[in-house]
Amino acid sequence: MEWETVIGLEVHAQLLTKSKLFSGSSTQFGAQPNTQACAVDIALPGVLPVMNLEAARMAVKFGLAVGATVNRRSVFARKNYFYPDLPKGYQISQYELPVVQLGRLMIDVDGMKKEIGITRAHLEEDAGKSLHEAFEGLTGIDLNRAGTPLLEIVSEPDMRSAKEAVTYLKKLHVLVRYLGICDGNMQEGSFRCDANVSVRPKGQHAFGTRAELKNINSFRFVEKAIDYEVARQVELIESGGKVVQETRLYDSQSNETRSMRSKEEAHDYRYFPDPDLLPLELDEQFIKEAALGLPELPDAKRERFVREYGLSAYDAEVLTGSREMADYYEAAAAMVPGQAKLAANWIIGDLSGYLNRDSLGIGDAPVTSAMLAGLVCRIADSTISGKIAKDVFDAMWNGEGDADAVIGKKGLRQITDESAIERIIDEVMARNPKQLEQYRSGQDKLFGFFVGQVMKATQGKANPAQVNESLRKKLGDKPA
Ligand code: ADP
Ligand code: MG
């Protein structure tokens, strides 16, 4: 039987507010345990929550960016459950009336565009953290994270493959960073994803029973966890079993999912409107101001890059992967008129390679956009070849100055003087009579040997196009 995969994602994006959702404690990551948890966060009796308006502004920005309805009135609800890292005994979330509803995100998988529905995005507070490794036989509780604002973004079950799910997730990841509402750090848990996965016979309308996969902390693992889970469900059904609705934990070490608990139902949480909080009411002005604060969004920027710089869709996609990268590119491109494509190649190729190698963000690149532009100019005006440019780039990266300084200091200026190149060719021919003989008797492949010898003799500095041309003349006119 042929099976179809159905996936819906729940993403928790930690909002970049300075203080928590309902208290003034700092949200800074990495502080000593329990140094950033005030009376509200640790739920001392009698404390009252006070809503952080900045979190609402961020949620509204997100809603506008995904073409959603921004509800002028939304309601905070208590979601009741017991867990050691939740001293209140409930989490403040939004249930029936979320701040954002009915949005969408367009994804592009293998050239096919597809719209993924966003059911809702609601504000909620994070819980604390249980530290299982810190003490022998004991569990530590760190409440620094308790009360940190999250935007939970729930998708429709619109995705049909792990690849679509990862594409959607990456797109969301880029978007929240563009909006400046989340740092997207998956290792630190600022951007987390639960994947709901089910399968159904192809052609069947009704959805199958879903499992919810937790603990997926990288894009790669999202894909692997879903693939594993789909195979497990298909195998289970085909051997006569039934998928049960449950929460499963993904184990990246063994690449499998394990049952964690049977799925709780909404009524288990006894949701009710939080009596300590007024409904969140946003006026027109507030929403307008949030709209004015929106940056150019990734899709628009990508399309503009194609139009304005003549880039391929792929190049534009990579270069608009973050605002910093896009800004870097635009700054460089502005300094190299007519060489926008060459500048793009250097950023996507060598610069990105070095950033990855050294685990640096583009903001920390030792080669600035002006330095890169300088390099591109020297390639464009034939001062250096593309190959030598790689050495210049490396030297710039290591702090040896800008392109002109490196070229001057190391004597890398390209040899374009025709008579000089011909002289070197003569020497090479004189040194290799046997190869010359073989070439002239029909071994065309040896042309490359001569090119190599000339480049070697000039330490790679001869202009390759000129070497080819002059060699062809000297060796007898055999096109390579
Ligand atoms: P909860 O997990 O809190 O019960 P929901 O019922 O709103 O929340 O559903 C959560 C996610 O599960 C949504 O992203 C939705 O698209 C997805 N989902 C619902 N039904 C299925 C299904 N049969 N297969 C795959 N995903 C599903
Ligand atoms: Mg869920």
mmCIF file of all heavy atoms in Angstrom, residues 412-442:
data_model
loop_
_atom_site.group_PDB
_atom_site.id
_atom_site.type_symbol
_atom_site.label_atom_id
_atom_site.label_comp_id
_atom_site.label_asym_id
_atom_site.label_seq_id
_atom_site.Cartn_x
_atom_site.Cartn_y
_atom_site.Cartn_z
ATOM 1 N N LEU A 412 51.775 39.741 -5.860
ATOM 2 C CA LEU A 412 50.849 38.808 -6.502
ATOM 3 C C LEU A 412 50.220 39.350 -7.772
ATOM 4 O O LEU A 412 49.382 38.696 -8.385
ATOM 5 C CB LEU A 412 49.734 38.435 -5.507
ATOM 6 C CG LEU A 412 50.216 37.681 -4.271
ATOM 7 C CD1 LEU A 412 49.060 37.474 -3.304
ATOM 8 C CD2 LEU A 412 50.845 36.353 -4.646
ATOM 9 N N ARG A 413 50.617 40.533 -8.132
ATOM 10 C CA ARG A 413 50.048 41.160 -9.322
ATOM 11 C C ARG A 413 50.158 40.206 -10.514
ATOM 12 O O ARG A 413 51.201 39.600 -10.768
ATOM 13 C CB ARG A 413 50.810 42.453 -9.594
ATOM 14 C CG ARG A 413 50.237 43.344 -10.650
ATOM 15 C CD ARG A 413 50.956 44.679 -10.596
ATOM 16 N NE ARG A 413 50.423 45.528 -9.525
ATOM 17 C CZ ARG A 413 49.300 46.238 -9.655
ATOM 18 N NH1 ARG A 413 48.630 46.224 -10.783
ATOM 19 N NH2 ARG A 413 48.874 46.972 -8.659
ATOM 20 N N GLN A 414 49.090 40.084 -11.223
ATOM 21 C CA GLN A 414 49.024 39.148 -12.346
ATOM 22 C C GLN A 414 49.964 39.578 -13.480
ATOM 23 O O GLN A 414 50.119 40.762 -13.734
ATOM 24 C CB GLN A 414 47.573 39.137 -12.841
ATOM 25 C CG GLN A 414 47.263 38.102 -13.882
ATOM 26 C CD GLN A 414 45.766 37.851 -13.943
ATOM 27 O OE1 GLN A 414 45.316 36.753 -13.747
ATOM 28 N NE2 GLN A 414 44.995 38.878 -14.216
ATOM 29 N N ILE A 415 50.585 38.596 -14.151
ATOM 30 C CA ILE A 415 51.431 38.920 -15.303
ATOM 31 C C ILE A 415 50.546 38.962 -16.546
ATOM 32 O O ILE A 415 49.989 37.944 -16.955
ATOM 33 C CB ILE A 415 52.542 37.867 -15.488
ATOM 34 C CG1 ILE A 415 53.374 37.778 -14.202
ATOM 35 C CG2 ILE A 415 53.409 38.199 -16.692
ATOM 36 C CD1 ILE A 415 54.351 36.621 -14.179
ATOM 37 N N THR A 416 50.401 40.146 -17.102
ATOM 38 C CA THR A 416 49.548 40.276 -18.288
ATOM 39 C C THR A 416 50.354 40.752 -19.492
ATOM 40 O O THR A 416 49.830 40.883 -20.584
ATOM 41 C CB THR A 416 48.409 41.294 -18.040
ATOM 42 O OG1 THR A 416 48.994 42.510 -17.571
ATOM 43 C CG2 THR A 416 47.424 40.779 -17.013
ATOM 44 N N ASP A 417 51.643 40.992 -19.255
ATOM 45 C CA ASP A 417 52.512 41.450 -20.336
ATOM 46 C C ASP A 417 52.740 40.289 -21.311
ATOM 47 O O ASP A 417 53.324 39.253 -20.965
ATOM 48 C CB ASP A 417 53.833 41.922 -19.710
ATOM 49 C CG ASP A 417 54.851 42.281 -20.773
ATOM 50 O OD1 ASP A 417 54.496 42.226 -21.971
ATOM 51 O OD2 ASP A 417 55.991 42.607 -20.400
ATOM 52 N N GLU A 418 52.295 40.477 -22.538
ATOM 53 C CA GLU A 418 52.303 39.371 -23.493
ATOM 54 C C GLU A 418 53.707 38.852 -23.770
ATOM 55 O O GLU A 418 53.944 37.640 -23.802
ATOM 56 C CB GLU A 418 51.639 39.820 -24.797
ATOM 57 C CG GLU A 418 51.223 38.637 -25.649
ATOM 58 C CD GLU A 418 50.393 39.084 -26.838
ATOM 59 O OE1 GLU A 418 49.577 40.010 -26.657
ATOM 60 O OE2 GLU A 418 50.570 38.523 -27.927
ATOM 61 N N SER A 419 54.673 39.770 -23.946
ATOM 62 C CA SER A 419 56.020 39.312 -24.273
ATOM 63 C C SER A 419 56.629 38.546 -23.098
ATOM 64 O O SER A 419 57.367 37.579 -23.285
ATOM 65 C CB SER A 419 56.903 40.487 -24.689
ATOM 66 O OG SER A 419 56.967 41.421 -23.636
ATOM 67 N N ALA A 420 56.291 38.968 -21.888
ATOM 68 C CA ALA A 420 56.807 38.254 -20.712
ATOM 69 C C ALA A 420 56.255 36.832 -20.683
ATOM 70 O O ALA A 420 56.989 35.868 -20.425
ATOM 71 C CB ALA A 420 56.416 38.997 -19.439
ATOM 72 N N ILE A 421 54.981 36.707 -20.976
ATOM 73 C CA ILE A 421 54.358 35.372 -20.984
ATOM 74 C C ILE A 421 54.975 34.510 -22.088
ATOM 75 O O ILE A 421 55.305 33.334 -21.866
ATOM 76 C CB ILE A 421 52.821 35.491 -21.160
ATOM 77 C CG1 ILE A 421 52.209 36.095 -19.883
ATOM 78 C CG2 ILE A 421 52.207 34.123 -21.454
ATOM 79 C CD1 ILE A 421 50.730 36.376 -19.954
ATOM 80 N N GLU A 422 55.198 35.119 -23.247
ATOM 81 C CA GLU A 422 55.790 34.352 -24.360
ATOM 82 C C GLU A 422 57.194 33.879 -24.033
ATOM 83 O O GLU A 422 57.589 32.767 -24.391
ATOM 84 C CB GLU A 422 55.769 35.189 -25.639
ATOM 85 C CG GLU A 422 54.367 35.213 -26.235
ATOM 86 C CD GLU A 422 54.251 36.105 -27.455
ATOM 87 O OE1 GLU A 422 55.244 36.776 -27.798
ATOM 88 O OE2 GLU A 422 53.165 36.127 -28.056
ATOM 89 N N ARG A 423 57.916 34.726 -23.331
ATOM 90 C CA ARG A 423 59.280 34.348 -22.941
ATOM 91 C C ARG A 423 59.236 33.121 -22.042
ATOM 92 O O ARG A 423 60.017 32.169 -22.207
ATOM 93 C CB ARG A 423 59.928 35.529 -22.204
ATOM 94 C CG ARG A 423 61.423 35.587 -22.407
ATOM 95 C CD ARG A 423 62.009 36.960 -22.082
ATOM 96 N NE ARG A 423 61.515 37.540 -20.849
ATOM 97 C CZ ARG A 423 60.853 38.714 -20.776
ATOM 98 N NH1 ARG A 423 60.614 39.418 -21.866
ATOM 99 N NH2 ARG A 423 60.430 39.166 -19.606
ATOM 100 N N ILE A 424 58.332 33.110 -21.124
ATOM 101 C CA ILE A 424 58.226 31.961 -20.204
ATOM 102 C C ILE A 424 57.800 30.714 -20.977
ATOM 103 O O ILE A 424 58.319 29.613 -20.739
ATOM 104 C CB ILE A 424 57.223 32.270 -19.068
ATOM 105 C CG1 ILE A 424 57.787 33.395 -18.198
ATOM 106 C CG2 ILE A 424 56.970 31.040 -18.214
ATOM 107 C CD1 ILE A 424 56.767 34.137 -17.382
ATOM 108 N N ILE A 425 56.905 30.896 -21.922
ATOM 109 C CA ILE A 425 56.475 29.739 -22.736
ATOM 110 C C ILE A 425 57.662 29.159 -23.494
ATOM 111 O O ILE A 425 57.858 27.932 -23.525
ATOM 112 C CB ILE A 425 55.347 30.153 -23.716
ATOM 113 C CG1 ILE A 425 54.062 30.458 -22.919
ATOM 114 C CG2 ILE A 425 55.086 29.043 -24.744
ATOM 115 C CD1 ILE A 425 52.901 30.946 -23.765
ATOM 116 N N ASP A 426 58.482 30.037 -24.039
ATOM 117 C CA ASP A 426 59.674 29.565 -24.766
ATOM 118 C C ASP A 426 60.568 28.721 -23.860
ATOM 119 O O ASP A 426 61.035 27.650 -24.235
ATOM 120 C CB ASP A 426 60.471 30.761 -25.304
ATOM 121 C CG ASP A 426 59.748 31.436 -26.469
ATOM 122 O OD1 ASP A 426 58.873 30.774 -27.083
ATOM 123 O OD2 ASP A 426 60.024 32.620 -26.742
ATOM 124 N N GLU A 427 60.748 29.212 -22.631
ATOM 125 C CA GLU A 427 61.589 28.471 -21.688
ATOM 126 C C GLU A 427 60.991 27.106 -21.382
ATOM 127 O O GLU A 427 61.693 26.092 -21.363
ATOM 128 C CB GLU A 427 61.716 29.261 -20.378
ATOM 129 C CG GLU A 427 62.676 30.443 -20.472
ATOM 130 C CD GLU A 427 62.494 31.417 -19.295
ATOM 131 O OE1 GLU A 427 62.014 30.965 -18.217
ATOM 132 O OE2 GLU A 427 62.798 32.607 -19.482
ATOM 133 N N VAL A 428 59.702 27.098 -21.154
ATOM 134 C CA VAL A 428 59.035 25.835 -20.825
ATOM 135 C C VAL A 428 59.157 24.847 -21.989
ATOM 136 O O VAL A 428 59.437 23.659 -21.796
ATOM 137 C CB VAL A 428 57.546 26.072 -20.469
ATOM 138 C CG1 VAL A 428 56.766 24.771 -20.447
ATOM 139 C CG2 VAL A 428 57.431 26.761 -19.112
ATOM 140 N N MET A 429 58.989 25.344 -23.202
ATOM 141 C CA MET A 429 59.100 24.466 -24.372
ATOM 142 C C MET A 429 60.516 23.911 -24.508
ATOM 143 O O MET A 429 60.707 22.730 -24.811
ATOM 144 C CB MET A 429 58.685 25.229 -25.648
ATOM 145 C CG MET A 429 57.169 25.405 -25.750
ATOM 146 S SD MET A 429 56.659 26.632 -26.970
ATOM 147 C CE MET A 429 57.158 25.849 -28.483
ATOM 148 N N ALA A 430 61.501 24.774 -24.233
ATOM 149 C CA ALA A 430 62.894 24.351 -24.349
ATOM 150 C C ALA A 430 63.230 23.286 -23.304
ATOM 151 O O ALA A 430 64.005 22.359 -23.562
ATOM 152 C CB ALA A 430 63.809 25.559 -24.192
ATOM 153 N N ARG A 431 62.604 23.414 -22.126
ATOM 154 C CA ARG A 431 62.907 22.462 -21.044
ATOM 155 C C ARG A 431 62.209 21.123 -21.242
ATOM 156 O O ARG A 431 62.567 20.142 -20.596
ATOM 157 C CB ARG A 431 62.435 23.064 -19.706
ATOM 158 C CG ARG A 431 63.490 23.887 -18.993
ATOM 159 C CD ARG A 431 63.243 23.923 -17.493
ATOM 160 N NE ARG A 431 61.893 24.320 -17.148
ATOM 161 C CZ ARG A 431 61.501 25.592 -17.036
ATOM 162 N NH1 ARG A 431 62.349 26.576 -17.260
ATOM 163 N NH2 ARG A 431 60.258 25.878 -16.702
ATOM 164 N N ASN A 432 61.201 21.067 -22.106
ATOM 165 C CA ASN A 432 60.414 19.834 -22.231
ATOM 166 C C ASN A 432 60.289 19.364 -23.682
ATOM 167 O O ASN A 432 59.183 19.257 -24.220
ATOM 168 C CB ASN A 432 59.014 20.048 -21.646
ATOM 169 C CG ASN A 432 59.056 20.415 -20.160
ATOM 170 O OD1 ASN A 432 59.274 19.568 -19.304
ATOM 171 N ND2 ASN A 432 58.884 21.702 -19.878
ATOM 172 N N PRO A 433 61.426 19.030 -24.290
ATOM 173 C CA PRO A 433 61.392 18.668 -25.711
ATOM 174 C C PRO A 433 60.564 17.404 -25.966
ATOM 175 O O PRO A 433 59.894 17.288 -26.985
ATOM 176 C CB PRO A 433 62.862 18.438 -26.066
ATOM 177 C CG PRO A 433 63.552 18.222 -24.761
ATOM 178 C CD PRO A 433 62.787 18.965 -23.730
ATOM 179 N N LYS A 434 60.634 16.462 -25.018
ATOM 180 C CA LYS A 434 59.923 15.189 -25.246
ATOM 181 C C LYS A 434 58.407 15.434 -25.322
ATOM 182 O O LYS A 434 57.718 14.972 -26.236
ATOM 183 C CB LYS A 434 60.226 14.214 -24.099
ATOM 184 C CG LYS A 434 60.264 12.771 -24.591
ATOM 185 C CD LYS A 434 60.752 11.819 -23.525
ATOM 186 C CE LYS A 434 59.598 11.398 -22.629
ATOM 187 N NZ LYS A 434 60.040 10.989 -21.290
ATOM 188 N N GLN A 435 57.890 16.203 -24.365
ATOM 189 C CA GLN A 435 56.467 16.479 -24.345
ATOM 190 C C GLN A 435 56.042 17.283 -25.577
ATOM 191 O O GLN A 435 54.967 17.084 -26.121
ATOM 192 C CB GLN A 435 56.083 17.266 -23.070
ATOM 193 C CG GLN A 435 56.017 16.426 -21.809
ATOM 194 C CD GLN A 435 57.391 16.232 -21.164
ATOM 195 O OE1 GLN A 435 58.436 16.564 -21.759
ATOM 196 N NE2 GLN A 435 57.395 15.672 -19.965
ATOM 197 N N LEU A 436 56.966 18.149 -26.008
ATOM 198 C CA LEU A 436 56.670 18.972 -27.166
ATOM 199 C C LEU A 436 56.512 18.097 -28.410
ATOM 200 O O LEU A 436 55.557 18.219 -29.174
ATOM 201 C CB LEU A 436 57.801 19.991 -27.368
ATOM 202 C CG LEU A 436 57.555 21.079 -28.397
ATOM 203 C CD1 LEU A 436 56.344 21.917 -28.017
ATOM 204 C CD2 LEU A 436 58.795 21.985 -28.518
ATOM 205 N N GLU A 437 57.421 17.173 -28.521
ATOM 206 C CA GLU A 437 57.424 16.203 -29.622
ATOM 207 C C GLU A 437 56.102 15.409 -29.631
ATOM 208 O O GLU A 437 55.427 15.298 -30.651
ATOM 209 C CB GLU A 437 58.634 15.275 -29.379
ATOM 210 C CG GLU A 437 58.676 14.018 -30.222
ATOM 211 C CD GLU A 437 59.176 14.338 -31.610
ATOM 212 O OE1 GLU A 437 60.123 15.155 -31.702
ATOM 213 O OE2 GLU A 437 58.615 13.799 -32.590
ATOM 214 N N GLN A 438 55.760 14.893 -28.426
ATOM 215 C CA GLN A 438 54.533 14.088 -28.314
ATOM 216 C C GLN A 438 53.297 14.918 -28.648
ATOM 217 O O GLN A 438 52.391 14.456 -29.331
ATOM 218 C CB GLN A 438 54.384 13.529 -26.889
ATOM 219 C CG GLN A 438 55.388 12.437 -26.592
ATOM 220 C CD GLN A 438 55.427 12.092 -25.109
ATOM 221 O OE1 GLN A 438 55.050 12.891 -24.254
ATOM 222 N NE2 GLN A 438 55.909 10.896 -24.802
ATOM 223 N N TYR A 439 53.312 16.138 -28.183
ATOM 224 C CA TYR A 439 52.158 17.005 -28.447
ATOM 225 C C TYR A 439 52.010 17.223 -29.946
ATOM 226 O O TYR A 439 50.915 17.093 -30.503
ATOM 227 C CB TYR A 439 52.315 18.348 -27.732
ATOM 228 C CG TYR A 439 51.181 19.312 -28.031
ATOM 229 C CD1 TYR A 439 49.951 19.178 -27.393
ATOM 230 C CD2 TYR A 439 51.333 20.317 -28.986
ATOM 231 C CE1 TYR A 439 48.897 20.025 -27.682
ATOM 232 C CE2 TYR A 439 50.294 21.170 -29.290
ATOM 233 C CZ TYR A 439 49.076 21.028 -28.632
ATOM 234 O OH TYR A 439 48.033 21.859 -28.920
ATOM 235 N N ARG A 440 53.116 17.503 -30.565
ATOM 236 C CA ARG A 440 53.053 17.819 -31.995
ATOM 237 C C ARG A 440 52.704 16.593 -32.818
ATOM 238 O O ARG A 440 52.190 16.705 -33.933
ATOM 239 C CB ARG A 440 54.386 18.419 -32.462
ATOM 240 C CG ARG A 440 54.552 19.806 -31.819
ATOM 241 C CD ARG A 440 55.504 20.690 -32.557
ATOM 242 N NE ARG A 440 55.235 22.093 -32.235
ATOM 243 C CZ ARG A 440 56.160 22.977 -31.870
ATOM 244 N NH1 ARG A 440 57.432 22.627 -31.818
ATOM 245 N NH2 ARG A 440 55.811 24.219 -31.602
ATOM 246 N N SER A 441 52.979 15.380 -32.260
ATOM 247 C CA SER A 441 52.597 14.190 -33.022
ATOM 248 C C SER A 441 51.175 13.760 -32.680
ATOM 249 O O SER A 441 50.780 12.625 -32.946
ATOM 250 C CB SER A 441 53.596 13.065 -32.769
ATOM 251 O OG SER A 441 53.563 12.691 -31.415
ATOM 252 N N GLY A 442 50.424 14.630 -32.029
ATOM 253 C CA GLY A 442 48.990 14.349 -31.900
ATOM 254 C C GLY A 442 48.453 14.144 -30.501
ATOM 255 O O GLY A 442 47.254 13.955 -30.311
#
